[in-house]
Amino acid sequence: MPKKNTRRMLYVILIIYLFSTILVSAKPSAFIVTNEIVCGEETLHEYKHVSSGLSVVWIENKDPNKSFTLGVKTPTTDNTGVNHIIEHTIFTGSKKYPSSTLFFDASSKYPNLFMNAMTSSDMTVFPFATSHNACFDTLMSIYLDSILNPNMTLDASSFYEESFHYNPTTKQYGGVVYNEMKGANNDKNRQVFRAIRGGLYEGTHYANDSGGDPSFIPDLSYEQFIETYKGFYYPSNMMIVLYGDLPINHVLELIDEAFKDIPLSDKQIDVNVKPILEQQEKTLYFNQNGGGSYLIKSFVIEKDLTSDEMLDMDLWVSAYLVDENSYFMKELKRQGIPHVQVIKDSYVKYPSYSIVVGEIEKSKIESTKAILECVLKELESQTIDIETERNIIAKNQLVACSEELSSTRGIEIAQSYLDAWAHDKSGDYYFTDKAHINRINQVPESCREILLNSPSMTIKLLPKKADVIQQDQGRLEGKWSERLEKMAVWQKETKHLPLPDINFKDLMVHKTVPYQIKEKDGIKYVMTKNDGPLKCTSFYIPTGHIKQEDLPNLFLYGQFLKKVSAEKTPFETIMNAEIVASGNEGIEPYLKITILSNKNFDPLVTYEEARQKLLSKDNEWFDEQLQNFMGQFKDNFTQDMLGTLKWLNASGQKGYKRYLFEQHYPLYTYARKIRTSKDITYIDKIKQLNLPLSEGMLIGIQGDQAFQKATLAHVQEYFKEHKIARPEQVTYDFTQYASINVYYKDTPVDYVVFSYDKEEDLIEGSDYVMASYMTNQYLRPVLRAEHGAYGSSMFAKYPSSLIVYTYRDPNFLESIKGIQSAPGILRENLNKEALEVAKLDALAEYQRQMNLVGNAFEKGSFIESCILRGIKPESLLKIQREILDTSQKDLDEKLSLLPYLLGNGQLGICTGNKQIQAQKQMNIYREK
């Protein structure tokens, strides 16, 4: 080609490039730019939609994990939970997407990293995040149409489904939110927080229960519900926060299309109110049958602090009130007050810090109050603890680095923007906080004076017998039969209506993260590259030589090793310890030590220092840690119902799952026994374990190339001097417990968990499809929508587990019958369209479960766990293809086997109803 023509062609290309750049960077004329802030490699763009008044923010960066979050100011006007019910009901069908199961249909069909909605005392938030470009536009369209054009304004059926309904035939109360809040209001921590809000903000919207009080939810009328929706859901009372690598012009055009016909409103909603602090002391009550009382001392920060000053205050509170080695905590424990926590209420204009002393006898409240006041007074004259301050700062720097790796980082930033928008704060405080924590090296001493001289209130929270929720039977009989008939017709006609299709090929993960395996002297090294600021080393130490009778001490060793590593100063790393196990024929247990840091470090030094420090601890320290373990276990056991039932079900299984059960309830009973008998011989047994690094280990190294190289050299050099043969493994012989576990707990709602282990067989792609099909076609639309359970799902879990559960359920007996009859109903109604949706849902669930999507460290952990089990990580990618290749015939065969699985697995039930009699084939647990 002649040079002249070549030059002309280059000019044309340059002009086209410049023109396209202008088009890409230009904003649609429907928006004006109100602000632009550069934060490192990210730019915050703030827009205003001219015709409607909608605020839009875009956090521009190269993150492929994109997110959308819409916030609405919704102050809580009463205790009916109206805003919470609106949040639920909005996703039961809209003008463009009329499916009554819209939220779950969309969640299943469009793979996402996060998809939900949340209601607080002054705001309702609707976020989603996805790494798939193919999903973003459709999910945003569904969210916007649901929020702006919900079908709930045209038909009351969805309102009664989600809020409250009554069946005159069965005499049963229903409603998704009603049952959710019956369970939620039984949570002690929630009641403590509600008491703080109720005490500080009496008479304001913050004192009302944003979730809804079950005693008041039935009082909400459909007319009030619609009036509240119309009163809050308009554009100038909304903000949208966009995040990630987005084609912003295109996205803004879609937003404009949704909002352009909505007129501008001059109505302004101000959610900010000052705490009511005329009374310095209040006595409140919470629903518990027995149990201890609480003493709460709340300090309200009325001074207008900058974001940096607020972060300084958080650091001061962490160092001088929360840290176990602080004078405050040590002195309270010395004076017999061990159960203390500090709660920050930050999502308000005037933040508060509340010191909560729990589990107090009512007769000791006044003496406890006197001790607390005295210790706080003495705190005013305590010297500065530079070492603790620097440790707290270092820990927060590490946490800040970890947050940057989150796959839902965009939603976390959006929450901070919405908080700033509602509460008159600086919108970029997420970024300024990160910058501040990385440059600070000491906490300003002024924080102590500001906090301790702030207005305060003392709240005495006393237990009372749980309220029995009794509804007016005469009022309930009313028109419920007619309403239920209409609801049934509505549910049948609008369930699972079609949504836009998506291409399977766009969703497949074709490669794992790059990794290397090296083996030397009986040690495997698995290295995955990560160029971010965090570095991680994991030691998988074989423990199959520990005798069965010594296992409780091994489990406590892991607990205490983790605890003692947290005491290390100066702070450099976070060390976690947990027991993991695998194996098909035999049990292969390991103590997994994970060490994480944002600095270059030698993990061997961290591990050895923790081991040596544990050996130096006295009996008093061990006794205190044992007591802390028992308290934490009891809290988890009584609060996390589904987790508890899954653990209890493992008692009837075989192999490594039965082994892992030993570190749950049996470990707690062992700890309780030695505490009661004051037997201290366990301490020497723990110290004698002294688990060294040995042959048969796997070591995972995640970080940049320099860190990988240095760590590999350190460890290999160590083994030249400390070559230890792997001890001979022992054989474990565990008793299998009964297949039915009943946990009697004073709870107004029930929980059910079916568990089945395939033993030698591995989970297949069609198992994942079956689980999604069961969830989407029966458990959610029937047990949740029709029977009123807050949640119900089935999931498959590699390598061998199938689990079905119901959550905050009004009647476990009905749910068990429903679950058992579901396979037959589903086989009769198999259809291709529902199968395709189940495949998409199964694919997304599998990718999340196996860490094929997510941050680099999660992906690295997946690689390590595969190698530990002797599996090539690449081989598990084929299950994605199995999922997509599942036919109707395959699914029918799986469903035909499901009754056998449900009948021959384990069943866990948590209930307060005495409808199950104790039998020999049952394990009975009660709250103790």
Side-chain angles (χ1 to χ4, degrees):
M1 183 182 290
K3 288 185 178 179
K4 187 175 181 181
N5 290 342
T6 303
R7 194 176 295 115
R8 284 178 181 172
M9 182 61 72
L10 290 173
Y11 287 153
V12 170
I13 293 171
L14 180 60
I15 290 168
I16 291 172
Y17 171 77
L18 290 173
F19 183 67
S20 65
T21 303
I22 292 168
L23 287 178
V24 169
S25 62
K27 69 183 187 309
S29 59
F31 291 87
I32 59 171
V33 177
T34 58
N35 197 13
E36 192 168 283
I37 308 170
V38 177
C39 297
E41 296 180 359
E42 298 173 273
T43 304
L44 318 182
H45 306 270
E46 298 178 2
Y47 307 95
K48 182 72 74 174
H49 190 239
V50 178
S51 63
S52 70
L54 171 75
S55 297
V56 178
V57 177
W58 174 38
I59 293 96
E60 179 187 7
N61 56 35
K62 296 300 180 183
D63 194 338
N65 297 323
K66 295 161 276 290
S67 69
F68 165 99
T69 307
L70 185 147
V72 188
K73 294 178 189 175
T74 54
T76 306
T77 52
D78 55 33
N79 287 306
T80 62
V82 59
N83 293 319
H84 185 194
I85 294 166
I86 290 171
E87 170 223 307
H88 274 247
T89 315
I90 268 176
F91 285 113
T92 54
S94 68
K95 185 177 180 180
K96 289 183 184 177
Y97 309 100
S99 173
S100 60
T101 50
L102 178 58
F103 180 83
F104 297 108
D105 293 346
S107 178
S108 299
K109 190 163 187 177
Y110 307 111
N112 58 83
L113 298 164
F114 185 88
M115 186 174 167
N116 212 334
M118 296 85 77
T119 302
S120 67
S121 293
D122 57 20
M123 189 179 299
T124 305
V125 179
F126 301 89
F128 74 79
T130 180
S131 56
H132 299 289
N133 293 328
C135 299
F136 187 89
D137 285 4
T138 305
L139 283 174
M140 187 173 76
S141 176
I142 289 170
Y143 267 59
L144 290 178
D145 199 56
S146 298
I147 292 164
L148 299 176
N149 306 300
N151 284 346
M152 67 186 193
T153 62
L154 308 175
D155 188 326
S157 295
S158 59
F159 164 71
Y160 291 114
E161 172 191 270
E162 297 297 318
S163 61
F164 172 85
H165 55 264
Y166 174 71
N167 190 323
T169 304
T170 63
K171 309 295 184 185
Q172 290 289 325
Y173 304 131
V176 175
V177 172
Y178 179 74
N179 284 308
E180 176 190 352
M181 298 315 298
K182 279 205 298 182
N185 285 349
N186 213 41
D187 185 294
K188 288 184 180 180
N189 292 329
R190 188 178 191 278
Q191 293 193 60
V192 168
F193 183 77
R194 292 294 330 136
I196 294 169
R197 281 282 180 92
L200 298 179
Y201 291 94
E202 185 177 3
T204 75
H205 61 264
Y206 285 120
N208 296 321
D209 192 328
S210 60
D213 185 327
S215 299
F216 294 93
I217 290 174
D219 294 336
L220 179 65
S221 70
Y222 176 63
E223 291 72 24
Q224 291 170 312
F225 166 81
I226 295 300
E227 183 182 352
T228 303
Y229 166 76
K230 291 180 178 178
F232 293 146
Y233 282 73
Y234 54 90
S236 58
N237 193 43
M238 297 177 178
M239 173 180 276
I240 292 174
V241 183
L242 306 166
Y243 172 93
D245 191 4
L246 292 167
I248 193 60
N249 275 357
H250 171 66
V251 174
L252 290 177
E253 285 169 0
L254 294 178
I255 294 173
D256 174 49
E257 186 64 28
F259 283 88
K260 67 182 181 180
D261 295 327
I262 306 175
L264 179 66
S265 172
D266 59 1
K267 181 182 176 184
Q268 298 293 320
I269 292 179
D270 184 0
V271 300
N272 298 308
V273 293
K274 271 197 168 187
I276 313 299
L277 298 170
E278 282 83 1
Q279 290 180 253
Q280 292 190 338
E281 185 171 302
K282 288 183 180 178
T283 300
L284 302 175
Y285 298 88
F286 70 110
N287 286 335
Q288 288 293 327
N289 287 324
S293 301
Y294 290 83
L295 180 71
I296 305 169
K297 176 80 170 181
S298 296
F299 294 90
V300 178
I301 308 299
E302 289 191 323
K303 186 176 179 181
D304 191 15
L305 300 181
T306 65
S307 174
D308 286 358
E309 290 171 334
M310 202 68 239
L311 178 56
D312 290 340
M313 185 65 72
D314 289 344
L315 296 171
W316 187 90
V317 169
S318 295
Y320 293 98
L321 295 182
V322 176
D323 191 271
E324 290 184 356
N325 294 313
S326 67
Y327 164 80
F328 178 75
M329 280 294 185
K330 283 183 174 179
E331 186 61 18
L332 287 178
K333 286 182 180 179
R334 188 187 70 78
Q335 298 201 45
I337 305 177
H339 302 294
V340 183
Q341 61 175 319
V342 179
I343 297 175
K344 182 187 179 185
D345 186 2
S346 58
Y347 288 112
V348 285
K349 184 175 176 61
Y350 304 95
S352 66
Y353 296 90
S354 297
I355 301 166
V356 180
V357 183
E359 301 301 322
I360 312 170
E361 293 179 26
K362 187 177 178 180
S363 60
K364 295 183 178 179
I365 283 186
E366 288 300 327
S367 60
T368 303
K369 177 188 170 186
I371 293 171
L372 178 61
E373 294 288 355
C374 181
V375 174
L376 285 170
K377 185 66 178 175
E378 291 171 355
L379 188 61
E380 294 178 5
S381 58
Q382 291 299 308
T383 57
I384 296 171
D385 186 345
I386 296 294
E387 185 178 86
T388 299
E389 284 187 12
R390 289 179 178 170
N391 277 346
I392 293 297
I393 290 169
K395 288 178 184 179
N396 278 271
Q397 288 171 343
L398 180 51
V399 168
C401 283
S402 302
E403 289 173 348
E404 295 299 286
L405 289 174
S406 170
S407 55
T408 56
R409 176 177 181 261
I411 293 174
E412 291 155 17
I413 296 175
Q415 185 63 62
S416 70
Y417 238 106
L418 292 169
D419 171 44
W421 170 62
H423 304 124
D424 301 332
K425 301 178 184 178
S426 174
D428 62 346
Y429 77 77
Y430 176 93
F431 299 94
T432 58
D433 280 2
K434 300 290 182 187
H436 185 61
I437 192 62
N438 285 322
R439 65 172 174 261
I440 190 174
N441 55 30
Q442 188 173 345
V443 181
E445 192 174 355
S446 58
C447 292
R448 171 166 53 186
E449 182 180 353
I450 292 172
L451 181 74
L452 297 181
N453 290 328
S454 290
S456 65
M457 177 182 288
T458 300
I459 300 170
K460 300 174 184 176
L461 188 57
L462 309 179
K464 66 175 181 179
K465 189 173 182 180
D467 292 333
V468 178
I469 302 169
Q470 293 182 334
Q471 308 298 343
D472 182 350
Q473 294 295 326
R475 177 171 63 84
L476 289 175
E477 296 297 337
K479 298 181 179 179
W480 280 113
S481 296
E482 182 182 342
R483 284 173 181 161
L484 291 177
E485 288 176 10
K486 288 182 178 179
M487 283 173 61
V489 172
W490 169 78
Q491 287 168 338
K492 184 177 181 180
E493 291 180 348
T494 61
K495 184 165 58 178
H496 298 316
L497 295 177
L499 292 173
D501 289 330
I502 192 167
N503 193 330
F504 284 116
K505 293 180 182 178
D506 294 334
L507 307 176
M508 295 282 283
V509 175
H510 298 288
K511 295 180 179 179
T512 64
V513 293
Y515 66 94
Q516 283 184 300
I517 300 178
K518 295 181 182 291
E519 191 161 358
K520 187 175 181 181
D521 298 329
I523 310 291
K524 275 187 181 177
Y525 302 91
V526 180
M527 294 179 288
T528 52
K529 189 177 178 183
N530 178 355
D531 290 326
L534 288 180
K535 298 140 177 72
C536 180
T537 302
S538 297
F539 297 120
Y540 296 82
I541 304 170
T543 59
H545 61 285
I546 305 295
K547 294 179 181 179
Q548 189 167 330
E549 60 267 25
D550 292 330
L551 287 179
N553 295 315
L554 168 66
F555 301 146
L556 289 177
Y557 177 83
Q559 294 279 341
F560 297 162
L561 196 65
K562 176 170 58 177
K563 192 66 182 175
V564 80
S565 70
E567 299 177 2
K568 182 178 179 292
T569 57
F571 175 85
E572 293 177 334
T573 60
I574 289 177
M575 192 175 105
N576 188 39
E578 60 179 323
I579 298 294
V580 298
S582 61
N584 292 325
E585 296 181 4
I587 299 168
E588 298 178 32
Y590 299 84
L591 174 66
K592 180 184 178 183
I593 303 292
T594 303
I595 306 170
L596 184 72
S597 183
N598 56 338
K599 302 171 183 176
N600 288 319
F601 68 101
D602 184 345
L604 287 168
V605 171
T606 300
Y607 177 60
E608 289 298 332
E609 284 184 355
R611 289 177 60 213
Q612 294 306 316
K613 193 167 185 178
L614 185 62
L615 292 174
S616 70
K617 291 296 184 180
D618 58 21
N619 292 355
E620 185 180 353
W621 184 90
F622 276 91
D623 187 59
E624 182 181 349
Q625 301 314 313
L626 187 68
Q627 186 175 350
N628 290 340
F629 161 73
M630 292 176 64
Q632 291 166 4
F633 180 93
K634 187 176 179 181
D635 285 345
N636 291 334
F637 191 89
T638 58
Q639 298 297 330
D640 179 14
M641 291 299 93
L642 292 181
T644 292
L645 293 181
K646 288 175 190 174
W647 273 110
L648 295 180
N649 279 0
S651 68
Q653 295 181 334
K654 297 179 181 178
Y656 75 91
K657 291 183 181 178
R658 177 61 187 80
Y659 171 91
L660 290 175
F661 171 69
E662 289 295 303
Q663 66 176 312
H664 189 257
Y665 195 75
L667 178 59
Y668 174 73
T669 58
Y670 172 79
R672 191 170 60 191
K673 179 181 177 181
I674 58 179
R675 278 278 298 170
T676 303
S677 64
K678 298 183 179 180
D679 179 6
I680 62 171
T681 59
Y682 79 97
I683 297 174
D684 286 335
K685 291 176 182 177
I686 288 175
K687 290 183 176 182
Q688 288 165 12
L689 281 173
N690 192 31
L691 292 176
L693 304 180
S694 67
E695 292 180 354
M697 285 180 57
L698 182 143
I699 301 177
I701 306 172
Q702 300 187 57
D704 57 33
Q705 192 169 5
F707 175 74
Q708 289 182 345
K709 185 177 180 180
T711 302
L712 184 63
H714 283 315
V715 176
Q716 290 184 341
E717 186 65 30
Y718 174 88
F719 277 105
K720 282 184 181 179
E721 301 177 14
H722 305 83
K723 188 170 181 179
I724 300 172
R726 183 176 184 174
E728 185 177 347
Q729 289 201 190
V730 299
T731 301
Y732 298 110
D733 183 21
F734 297 109
T735 301
Q736 276 186 265
Y737 288 84
S739 60
I740 300 178
N741 296 283
V742 181
Y743 177 25
Y744 281 123
K745 175 179 168 61
D746 183 35
T747 174
V749 286
D750 300 327
Y751 303 79
V752 175
V753 175
F754 283 95
S755 304
Y756 181 80
D757 185 72
K758 296 185 73 175
E759 297 179 17
E760 300 304 317
D761 295 331
L762 296 179
I763 291 290
E764 302 168 318
S766 53
D767 290 305
Y768 282 92
V769 177
M770 175 186 66
S772 292
Y773 197 88
M774 175 86 159
T775 297
N776 296 325
Q777 300 300 314
Y778 185 84
L779 297 177
R780 283 174 179 164
V782 177
L783 292 191
R784 182 188 181 279
E786 295 179 22
H787 292 186
Y790 174 60
S792 186
S793 292
M794 178 179 184
F795 59 92
K797 187 174 182 181
Y798 193 86
S800 58
S801 298
L802 292 168
I803 296 175
V804 182
Y805 72 83
T806 67
Y807 184 63
R808 293 180 183 166
D809 195 332
N811 190 324
F812 74 91
L813 290 173
E814 290 299 315
S815 291
I816 289 174
K817 290 177 185 176
I819 291 169
Q820 291 171 335
S821 65
I825 296 171
L826 292 175
R827 292 184 70 193
E828 289 177 8
N829 297 284
L830 273 176
N831 67 84
K832 184 178 179 181
E833 185 175 341
L835 172 60
E836 295 303 299
V837 172
K839 289 180 183 181
L840 283 164
D841 188 31
L843 181 65
E845 172 59 30
Y846 179 75
Q847 290 173 349
R848 283 192 296 266
Q849 192 182 106
M850 306 304 284
N851 289 328
L852 298 177
V853 294
N855 68 49
F857 283 100
E858 291 170 341
K859 293 177 181 178
S861 294
F862 162 70
I863 300 294
E864 293 169 9
S865 65
C866 287
I867 304 303
L868 191 70
R869 294 198 299 254
I871 298 170
K872 288 185 176 181
E874 296 83 359
S875 69
L876 294 181
L877 294 175
K878 69 180 177 60
I879 292 182
Q880 295 178 106
R881 177 50 58 188
E882 291 178 7
I883 289 171
L884 300 188
D885 289 344
T886 301
S887 66
Q888 283 187 232
K889 182 181 177 182
D890 296 330
L891 180 56
D892 184 62
E893 289 178 356
K894 287 293 181 183
L895 288 169
S896 71
L897 296 173
L898 193 51
Y900 171 82
L901 305 184
L902 294 172
N904 289 275
Q906 288 74 42
L907 172 62
I909 300 163
C910 174
T911 183
N913 300 321
K914 304 296 188 287
Q915 293 170 294
I916 294 182
Q917 300 299 317
Q919 299 175 26
K920 289 184 179 179
Q921 65 267 33
M922 293 182 180
N923 299 314
I924 305 297
Y925 300 86
R926 288 183 172 82
E927 240 181 10
K928 295 182 181 178

